[in-house]
């Protein structure tokens, strides 16, 4: 019997059926034929390539697999992504390359599969998921700048990341405030530099888009926070609740600022919430879930208000037209990607103490402000 025939039989038994019985049948066929492993991997890489054609990206696949399955499946899909990457016929841009780099090095082909039944079952579970992925909005990247243009940007972003990491780690509020303020200053400077360059020299750059994971629990509040950060940085965010991410549309430098600031604020919120919750529990309260949900909802609401106020900055007259033009371009790209969107209201926010503590933590959060634009 050929290896291809073994894989075909296993797929017919397991992939297009539901339930454990069908899965066990397919796994038994694969476990009994180690020679079929190479063909099984090749088919998996074809599933990955199909996902790319349907709008998915490496980080998206890893996120959905982690969300729906477990670490063993994450390792399997990472191996498939890295194995398929050299077969790509075109470069997909810097963001795509960065996502591949975060996956690490591909596993050696000779790695032993000690428990063949468990391995085969995990592969089929993964392929079932990949087979049923819906189509997403394609986020094709614009042409990447040349190496000489990207090195200064990389240094700037490296400095911003380092400053935010120190702000999150320090136990001294004054130091955190100074570090976060400096990071926000660099973000604003980088964004303004991009806008000024566009005003002085015609550029082919158009708005791009990226997906940022919005992980449970309390994902509604986290999505609201991300939307506030996006709006303050001249971007638009659209939340996909079933798949656990938001798509953020904007110019490249602003997208970087959104990712960095959103991550930092989540860290600050989690740290503040843990401390506030400990104090509440010491006082005899036990409604941990409702407290946390209300805390994060209030935090997102209050930080959004602060960011909106910070975004209302006076600009010089010569910069107004280019900023308006970029805003129109972002809105147009977002409307083309998402012609139909709906709004949602936060659910389950009814803990007064959690809301009060979350608002207070948001007032203490280091969001910085944009300096006066030249």
């Amino acid at each position: 019997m050929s290896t291809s025939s073994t894989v075909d039989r296993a797929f017919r038994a397991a992939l297009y059926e539901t339930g454990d019985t069908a899965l066990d049948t397919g796994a038994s066929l694969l476990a009994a034929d180690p020679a079929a492993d190479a063909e099984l991997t090749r088919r998996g890489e074809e599933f990955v390539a199909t996902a790319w054609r349907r709008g998915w990206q490496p980080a998206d696949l890893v996120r959905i697999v982690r969300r729906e399955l477990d670490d063993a499946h994450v390792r399997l899909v990472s191996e498939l992504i890295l194995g398929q990457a050299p077969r790509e016929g075109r470069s997909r841009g810097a963001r795509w390359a960065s996502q591949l780099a975060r996956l690490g090095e591909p596993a050696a082909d000779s790695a032993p599969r000690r428990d063949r039944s468990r391995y085969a079952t995990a592969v089929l579970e993964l392929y079932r998921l990949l087979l049923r992925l819906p189509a997403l909005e394609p986020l094709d990247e614009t042409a990447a700048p040349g190496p000489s243009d990207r090195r200064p940007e990389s240094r700037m972003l490296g400095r911003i990341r380092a400053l935010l990491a120190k702000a999150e780690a320090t136990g001294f509020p004054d130091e955190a405030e100074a570090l976060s303020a400096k990071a926000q200053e660099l973000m604003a400077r980088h964004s303004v530099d991009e806008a000024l360059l566009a005003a002085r020299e015609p550029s082919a750059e158009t708005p791009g888009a990226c997906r940022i994971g919005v992980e449970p629990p309390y994902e509604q509040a986290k999505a609201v926070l991300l939307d506030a950060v996006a709006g303050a940085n001249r971007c638009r965010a659209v939340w996909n609740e079933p798949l656990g991410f938001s798509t953020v549309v904007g110019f490249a430098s602003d997208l970087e600022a959104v990712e960095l600031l959103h991550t930092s604020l989540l860290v600050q919120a989690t740290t503040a919430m843990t401390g506030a919750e400990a104090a509440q529990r010491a006082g005899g309260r036990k409604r941990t879930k409702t407290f946390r949900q209300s805390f994060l909802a209030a935090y997102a609401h209050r930080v959004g208000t602060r960011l909106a106020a910070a975004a209302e900055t006076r600009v010089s007259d010569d910069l107004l037209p280019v900023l308006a033009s970029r805003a129109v371009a972002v809105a147009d790209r977002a409307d083309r990607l998402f012609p139909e969107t709906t709004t949602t209201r936060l659910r389950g926010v009814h803990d007064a103490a959690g809301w009060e503590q979350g608002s207070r933590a948001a007032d203490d959060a280091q969001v910085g402000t944009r300096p006066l634009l030249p």
Side-chain angles (χ1 to χ4, degrees):
M1 182 184 301
S2 70
T3 58
S4 179
S5 176
T6 298
V7 173
D8 287 337
R9 291 175 62 206
F11 280 10
R12 283 195 299 270
L15 292 195
Y16 307 99
E17 300 290 341
T18 58
D20 294 340
T21 300
L23 194 65
D24 291 343
T25 301
S28 297
L29 291 168
L30 295 174
D33 188 2
D37 285 0
E39 175 66 13
L40 188 62
T41 298
R42 188 187 70 80
R43 300 287 187 93
E45 291 176 359
E46 289 180 354
F47 283 132
V48 167
T50 298
W52 302 160
R53 291 192 292 271
R54 294 176 65 80
W56 291 74
Q57 295 190 355
D60 302 326
L61 279 193
V62 172
R63 185 187 308 113
I64 194 67
V65 171
R66 181 176 289 114
R67 182 184 177 96
E68 299 295 331
L69 299 171
D70 58 32
D71 289 344
H73 302 87
V74 171
R75 289 191 295 271
L76 287 172
V77 77
S78 298
E79 291 175 11
L80 291 176
I81 292 170
L82 292 168
Q84 191 273 340
R87 296 175 174 80
E88 283 292 305
R90 63 186 179 93
S91 173
R92 291 182 176 266
R95 186 175 293 276
W96 190 285
S98 175
Q99 293 178 26
L100 291 179
R102 287 197 291 269
L103 294 179
E105 296 295 329
D109 293 337
S110 59
R113 308 291 184 182
R114 293 184 176 86
D115 188 333
R116 290 201 52 77
S117 178
R118 182 176 299 178
Y119 164 70
T121 300
V123 169
L124 291 175
E125 288 171 336
L126 172 63
Y127 290 5
R128 271 184 174 181
L129 176 61
L130 297 181
L131 187 65
R132 290 164 172 76
L133 291 178
L136 298 179
E137 300 78 14
L139 306 184
D140 293 334
E141 293 189 50
T142 55
S148 61
D149 295 330
R150 290 176 56 191
R151 276 195 296 271
E153 178 175 333
S154 296
R155 286 197 298 269
M156 176 74 80
L157 294 175
R159 290 178 63 192
I160 292 171
R161 289 191 181 94
L163 287 167
L164 289 175
K166 291 179 180 178
E168 294 155 14
T170 182
F172 301 98
D174 290 344
E175 183 182 13
E177 181 176 1
L179 291 167
S180 298
K182 181 61 176 177
Q184 182 61 47
E185 178 186 342
L186 293 180
M187 288 179 190
R189 184 190 309 168
H190 187 56
S191 180
V192 170
D193 287 345
E194 293 285 332
L196 288 172
L197 182 62
R200 295 166 182 165
E201 300 179 12
S203 171
E205 184 189 8
T206 58
C210 68
R211 298 187 183 104
I212 298 177
V214 181
E215 305 293 346
Y218 319 118
E219 51 267 53
Q220 266 198 325
K222 294 175 182 178
V224 170
L225 177 62
L226 178 53
D227 180 72
V229 174
N233 285 278
R234 309 186 189 97
C235 297
R236 292 266 297 270
V238 178
W239 181 33
N240 186 319
E241 183 175 7
L243 296 180
F245 63 77
S246 284
T247 302
V248 184
V249 182
F251 285 87
S253 59
D254 296 327
L255 291 177
E256 294 283 1
V258 169
E259 289 184 289
L260 291 171
L261 185 55
H262 177 249
T263 300
S264 181
L265 288 173
L266 275 181
V267 172
Q268 294 183 53
T270 301
T271 301
M273 181 178 67
T274 301
E277 183 185 33
Q280 291 288 316
R281 291 168 67 182
R285 286 180 48 106
K286 297 181 179 179
R287 290 184 295 163
T288 301
K289 182 176 180 180
T290 56
F291 178 86
R292 288 183 173 186
Q293 188 158 300
S294 298
F295 183 101
L296 288 176
Y299 184 93
H301 174 76
R302 180 58 182 156
V303 163
T305 301
R306 292 185 63 196
L307 288 173
E312 295 178 0
T313 306
R314 291 181 298 112
V315 299
S316 59
D317 291 342
D318 62 338
L319 196 54
L320 283 173
V322 69
L323 291 179
S325 175
R326 287 163 78 91
V328 169
V330 168
D332 180 66
R333 177 74 194 277
D335 290 342
R336 284 187 286 112
L337 280 173
F338 305 100
E340 296 182 4
T341 59
T342 60
T343 59
T344 187
R345 299 181 66 179
L346 282 170
R347 299 183 295 268
V349 180
H350 50 73
D351 188 297
W355 184 271
E356 180 183 355
Q357 293 288 332
S359 298
R360 188 178 305 166
D363 286 334
D364 294 336
Q366 305 306 322
V367 299
T369 58
R370 289 183 181 272
L372 179 64
L373 304 184

